[in-house]
Amino acid sequence: MEPVEIEAKTLIQKSKTPSNDYVINPYTGCVLGCAYCFASFAGRQFGRSVKEWGDYLYVKKNAVELARKELAKMPEDKRRGTMLLSSVTDPYQGHETKYRLTRGILRELKAVEYPGLVRILTKSPVVTRDIDLLTSLPRAEVGMSVTTTDDKVSRWLEVRAPLASRRLRTLAELKEAGIPTYAFVGPLLPHFATQPELLDDLFGRLVDAGVGEVFMEHINLKRYIRERMDQVLADEPEDVREAYVQARTKEHREQLDAIVAELLDKHGLRLRFEEVVHHDDNDSLRQRLASSG
């Protein structure tokens, strides 16, 4: 798959996600192609359907230049906001090794000594390439998305993403380098409700990798995502398929929440936002964060 190079008009956007003020997406699309990804709508501006998710990538070749210009224009008080890379793409997917857009953007953030928190969210070990820049920023943290410890499951649901075992090693490497880390357990896989020992193992492995805090989300099963998930679930055992059907119910989410609470306590992990986020509840979560200052 050959990426398409484009000229973007803007780069730094106001964020719609809780706890992030701004977001930078150096790419549109994501070749990792995770079956459950809510961002599969992102290519619609280029006429891409959700079924094509993972099969296209648009590279904002002027992203570093835009970062430089937009940071220069950003008022000092606005620079205190949290900057996320990225929300609807992986900033360290394979083509980053060629285009180096994320690295260039981090360099621009370093040049202005951006005082706000720079937050990375990725599934890729390529992030370790930029340890030098991340450690030189006033404030930075890296979140690694880890949904399972089973490489077979990660290959099943996350198609071309780095294996779960490699992501766990990456978290340990970042921690050893002195970079604050957290794990994004999102989505919280529905079959954990009937196999909690798998989540127990995941939490234990995260602690072993030096993680002390997790951000968790229930799976988003809106219609456009279910259409993709149905394809990968077609050959799975009945109990697994049924778990994904039940995942749409409040009762299922409450059951998983209880399992999560018990296992977090067992492993001494903190839960970011103090709850497992559900997409339908993002507005209320944002209001609570704003009221808490």
Side-chain angles (χ1 to χ4, degrees):
M1 188 273 294
E2 286 295 322
V4 179
E5 297 181 358
I6 61 171
E7 292 272 351
K9 294 181 179 178
T10 61
L11 186 71
I12 302 174
Q13 304 288 337
K14 288 186 177 180
S15 175
K16 297 180 181 179
T17 58
S19 83
N20 301 305
D21 299 290
Y22 308 106
V23 61
I24 294 177
N25 290 294
Y27 306 94
T28 296
C30 183
V31 299
L32 303 187
C34 300
Y36 53 69
C37 188
F38 82 97
S40 52
F41 65 82
R44 61 190 175 192
Q45 61 179 305
F46 298 106
R48 300 287 193 166
S49 74
V50 295
K51 294 180 180 178
E52 295 177 272
W53 185 245
D55 296 331
Y56 63 84
L57 184 70
Y58 293 86
V59 178
K60 300 174 185 178
K61 63 180 183 179
N62 60 331
V64 177
E65 178 185 357
L66 284 175
R68 184 181 309 120
K69 291 179 178 179
E70 293 176 10
L71 285 169
K73 294 178 181 179
M74 185 179 286
E76 193 66 31
D77 61 319
K78 300 293 185 183
R79 290 186 183 179
R80 299 191 184 98
T82 296
M83 186 81 69
L84 173 67
L85 284 95
S86 300
S87 61
V88 293
T89 190
D90 194 305
Y92 285 103
Q93 58 190 296
H95 289 86
E96 169 63 17
T97 59
K98 173 184 177 181
Y99 288 100
R100 301 171 70 85
L101 298 182
T102 299
R103 182 169 179 82
I105 292 164
L106 290 176
R107 190 180 292 115
E108 296 304 324
L109 289 164
K110 176 186 175 182
V112 299
E113 296 185 351
Y114 188 81
L117 176 63
V118 176
R119 175 177 289 151
I120 302 292
L121 182 58
T122 183
K123 286 186 172 84
S124 173
V126 176
V127 65
T128 59
R129 178 202 64 188
D130 292 342
I131 284 175
D132 61 327
L133 290 174
L134 292 166
T135 53
S136 67
L137 288 166
R139 297 176 63 204
E141 70 171 7
V142 176
M144 184 69 59
S145 297
V146 189
T147 54
T148 178
T149 59
D150 188 334
D151 284 343
K152 291 181 180 179
V153 173
S154 70
R155 182 57 66 236
W156 166 53
L157 287 175
E158 298 165 339
V159 191
R160 292 180 290 275
L163 292 174
S165 56
R166 184 65 186 93
R167 286 179 244 167
L168 288 164
R169 292 200 304 272
T170 299
L171 280 166
E173 291 169 22
L174 292 164
K175 186 71 174 180
E176 185 177 353
I179 297 170
T181 61
Y182 68 97
F184 177 39
V185 183
L188 179 60
L189 299 181
H191 62 267
F192 287 158
T194 55
Q195 302 176 70
E197 68 277 6
L198 300 180
L199 186 60
D200 189 6
D201 182 53
L202 173 57
F203 283 176
R205 295 281 295 278
L206 290 174
V207 170
D208 290 344
V211 171
E213 186 175 32
V214 293
F215 170 31
M216 304 185 72
E217 281 189 354
H218 287 291
I219 193 168
N220 184 338
L221 286 174
K222 292 181 179 178
R223 182 183 296 275
Y224 73 96
I225 301 171
R226 292 204 309 267
E227 290 176 357
R228 296 175 43 132
M229 287 297 300
D230 286 346
Q231 297 176 24
V232 300
L233 288 168
D235 297 326
E236 293 305 307
E238 183 178 352
D239 62 326
V240 173
R241 296 199 308 272
E242 180 63 21
Y244 281 80
V245 172
Q246 293 301 317
R248 306 172 205 170
T249 68
K250 181 179 179 182
E251 291 75 18
H252 180 89
R253 292 194 297 272
E254 289 177 344
Q255 180 184 2
L256 271 176
D257 286 344
I259 292 170
V260 167
E262 180 180 348
L263 292 177
L264 288 173
D265 184 64
K266 173 183 176 180
H267 292 282
L269 283 165
R270 298 183 301 277
L271 179 61
R272 188 166 286 193
F273 306 140
E274 299 182 351
E275 67 177 5
V276 182
V277 176
H278 181 46
H279 277 258
D280 291 344
D281 297 331
N282 271 353
D283 287 341
S284 61
L285 174 59
R286 192 175 292 108
Q287 290 172 2
R288 291 203 306 279
L289 289 170
S291 64
S292 65

